[in-house]
Amino acid sequence: MLDVLGLDATEEGAYRRLVALPSASAEDLASAMTLSVSALATALSALESKGLVARSTGQRDHFVASPPSLALGSLIVEREEEIRRAQLELGRLTEQYRGSVADRTGTDVVDVVRGPQAVADRFAQMQRGATSEVVALVKSSVAIVSAEENSASEDVALARGVAYRVVLERAAFERPGFMERVIESVAAGETVRVADSLPLRLMIADRSLALLPLAPTASDVGGGALLVHESGLLDALLHLFDLVWASSNEVLPSGAFQPSDQIDEVDARILTLLLAGLTDQAIGGQLGMSLRTIQRRVSSLMDRARVVTRFQLGHEAARRGWAGR
């Protein structure tokens, strides 16, 4: 946790132990932390230079911890000052960038990002820099950055209050366990919808910058992406997303349907997946059940709801109180 203040793991561990002790030597700490004495001596020297520890006046080979509110507080102030200077520099660079954007030609609105690592970096950077919303179209086949690999960046952005709207291609749900990850994302605050098929992979941050991952080709085996700045092309991509979003089925929160005296937990899960637009085959794959079992349970639900279509089933389930919201 204290790595943000410039402490490595050994330094942090040594400081935490000293905070709880009157004093200790490098040998004492090395024994307690099962590390070499030389490693602890190096860590204590670094902590001393940072003002976090001092040598004991009673025993020169012993160290005492400086008060956390004083020692760590000063480090925090230093970091805040560094961040303030970085923000000022960001403002200056942003103004320079805006000036260069104004001089862009028609072909300059698109940058080419080459290589899987560079694309992954852009994905993370766009989400870390987003301030209001991230929207995305996610195809079933993984181009360069998988949903699992991208989850950390999403979690950080969601924690900052960035809204996420994501459309998933239905075929993605054929992967075992995929629905569980989707439910976790919805619980974390994402709004997720499902479409039969998607024309492309796409992510747009704050409606001002888009990234289109490209599949590897014979001439570019590493793959890449297009980074699209504000332009008519970006407007078209935004319009495309809005059209796809409007015609997709929403994945309801995990508690949208609740077990009751009329439906059990399995039926509740089936209703959630059914209204997301999944096929019986995909539902069976996500729940670890056979196609025949899913079909039988769906048919039973329709009989109990006295409906003849699955569309009617969703509305009737909500009317009967099977929906938890």
Side-chain angles (χ1 to χ4, degrees):
M1 182 179 295
L2 300 182
D3 57 336
V4 297
L5 298 179
L7 276 65
D8 64 25
T10 303
E11 292 168 4
E12 179 175 348
Y15 180 72
R16 287 183 180 277
R17 286 186 178 275
L18 280 173
V19 166
L21 297 171
S23 69
S25 65
E27 290 79 4
D28 296 333
L29 293 172
S31 177
M33 297 172 66
T34 64
L35 294 171
S36 68
V37 175
S38 61
L40 261 297
T42 300
L44 288 169
S45 177
L47 289 171
E48 189 174 13
S49 67
K50 295 171 183 175
L52 290 172
V53 304
R55 292 186 182 273
S56 170
T57 55
Q59 296 174 283
R60 292 296 297 169
D61 63 337
H62 278 54
F63 292 82
V64 297
S66 300
S69 60
L70 176 64
L72 294 180
S74 66
L75 290 180
I76 291 172
V77 170
E78 289 178 11
R79 289 296 184 273
E80 289 175 341
E81 178 60 23
E82 291 172 359
I83 291 173
R84 189 188 69 81
R85 289 197 298 268
Q87 288 175 329
L88 291 174
E89 186 60 25
L90 171 62
R92 287 191 288 267
L93 291 172
T94 299
E95 288 302 315
Q96 292 178 8
Y97 180 77
R98 286 174 178 166
S100 67
V101 168
D103 296 331
R104 284 176 180 258
T105 65
T107 57
D108 288 334
V109 299
V110 177
D111 298 331
V112 179
V113 182
R114 300 188 184 278
Q117 188 56 54
V119 174
D121 290 343
R122 294 300 182 280
F123 262 102
Q125 289 167 357
M126 287 175 63
Q127 292 175 86
R128 286 199 298 265
T131 59
S132 58
E133 182 185 51
V134 172
V135 301
L137 302 179
V138 181
K139 290 181 68 65
S140 58
S141 58
V142 176
I144 295 175
V145 182
S146 68
E148 294 81 359
E149 294 170 327
N150 196 46
S151 61
S153 298
E154 291 182 3
D155 292 343
V156 172
L158 284 166
R160 288 191 291 106
V162 176
Y164 269 76
R165 289 191 294 145
V166 179
V167 182
L168 303 171
E169 200 166 48
R170 198 179 315 283
F173 289 87
E174 295 175 3
R175 299 204 295 271
F178 186 79
M179 188 61 194
E180 293 299 330
R181 290 191 290 273
V182 172
I183 292 297
E184 290 174 1
S185 296
V186 172
E190 285 189 27
T191 304
V192 179
R193 294 190 176 185
V194 181
D196 287 336
S197 63
L198 295 174
L200 46 74
R201 301 174 182 85
L202 173 67
M203 184 176 76
I204 306 175
D206 293 335
R207 302 185 78 83
S208 62
L209 187 65
L211 190 68
L212 285 78
L214 304 175
T217 64
S219 59
D220 184 12
V221 294
L226 301 180
L227 194 63
V228 183
H229 300 269
E230 290 182 292
S231 59
L233 176 57
L234 178 61
D235 293 341
L237 292 173
L238 285 166
H239 186 59
L240 171 64
F241 175 84
D242 291 339
L243 288 175
V244 173
W245 179 261
S247 61
S248 303
N249 298 317
E250 183 175 357
V251 177
L252 300 176
S254 57
F257 292 97
Q258 302 285 0
S260 66
D261 57 348
Q262 294 177 289
I263 61 171
D264 59 21
E265 184 176 353
V266 175
D267 284 341
R269 295 291 300 277
I270 289 174
L271 280 170
T272 297
L273 298 173
L274 194 65
L275 289 194
L278 271 65
T279 64
D280 291 347
Q281 186 78 42
I283 293 173
Q286 294 301 312
L287 299 183
M289 303 171 70
S290 70
L291 173 62
R292 191 164 186 171
T293 299
I294 296 298
Q295 291 174 333
R296 185 175 65 251
R297 296 190 75 117
V298 171
S299 178
S300 176
L301 284 168
M302 292 174 68
D303 288 343
R304 276 179 280 170
R306 299 180 182 277
V307 298
V308 295
T309 69
R310 296 181 178 214
F311 178 78
Q312 292 172 328
L313 175 60
H315 288 279
E316 187 63 19
R319 190 188 71 79
R320 289 169 176 259
W322 297 351
R325 64 176 186 177

